[in-house]
Amino acid sequence: MISDKYTHPLALTSQFRFCGNPFRLDFYKGCDFGCKYCFARNINGQNDFDIGYAKFEIVENYFKKAFESNVEANNIVVELLRNKVPIHVGGLADPFQPIEWKLKLNYKLIELSNKYQYPLIFSTKQCF
């Protein structure tokens, strides 16, 4: 089952004090690969067959607020973006799992990051 009910793809992880790169983005909640060793499988009761995805516009709007607005932001995500803290893409789900070839959300993210010269770090087990 696939749904677009995932609404918080870009966030500071709760492990920010311990994590070397705590600013993460996951367009997908859940993962088709189903690796037995994956720590993310047990977070929030994810299972491998219920894949949720976030709408690209959620992330795009954060970038617009950060780089196309001079309004002071009371939002940690906007502040992290403005300071160009690298985004870890794929901390909880592989960004290049099979659904990506259909939805192309991370492809659009790469285009967006090129527009704003924004640093991204991808974690994937996919071979190209």
Side-chain angles (χ1 to χ4, degrees):
M1 182 171 151
I2 299 173
S3 93
D4 66 352
K5 302 297 183 201
Y6 182 42
T7 58
H8 300 288
L10 185 59
L12 184 64
T13 70
S14 61
Q15 299 295 314
F16 68 92
R17 288 179 266 161
F18 311 108
C19 184
N21 193 5
F23 191 31
R24 65 124 191 114
L25 189 150
D26 288 284
F27 275 113
Y28 306 109
K29 182 178 181 184
C31 187
D32 274 342
F33 291 128
C35 303
K36 299 292 183 203
Y37 58 81
C38 182
F39 71 91
R41 291 180 69 185
N42 296 320
I43 295 174
N44 297 327
Q46 290 182 186
N47 81 44
D48 303 329
F49 304 105
D50 291 331
I51 305 293
Y53 68 92
K55 294 180 180 177
F56 181 76
E57 293 77 19
I58 294 170
V59 173
E60 185 178 42
N61 288 336
Y62 277 120
F63 272 81
K64 286 179 180 178
K65 285 178 189 174
F67 300 115
E68 296 178 15
S69 171
N70 292 328
V71 176
E72 186 175 330
N74 268 346
N75 185 304
I76 188 70
V77 171
V78 173
E79 289 301 319
L80 291 168
L81 287 170
R82 285 183 176 164
N83 287 286
K84 294 206 173 179
V85 173
I87 297 173
H88 177 205
V89 183
L92 296 175
D94 196 296
F96 301 114
Q97 59 184 299
I99 193 172
E100 171 64 14
W101 306 116
K102 176 182 176 185
L103 299 179
K104 300 184 184 320
L105 297 172
N106 288 296
Y107 178 81
K108 292 177 188 177
L109 174 66
I110 292 168
E111 290 180 327
L112 186 67
S113 73
N114 285 338
K115 177 180 177 180
Y116 295 107
Q117 295 296 294
Y118 201 91
L120 302 174
I121 302 167
F122 285 92
S123 293
T124 184
K125 68 182 293 168
Q126 189 67 281
C127 296
F128 296 103

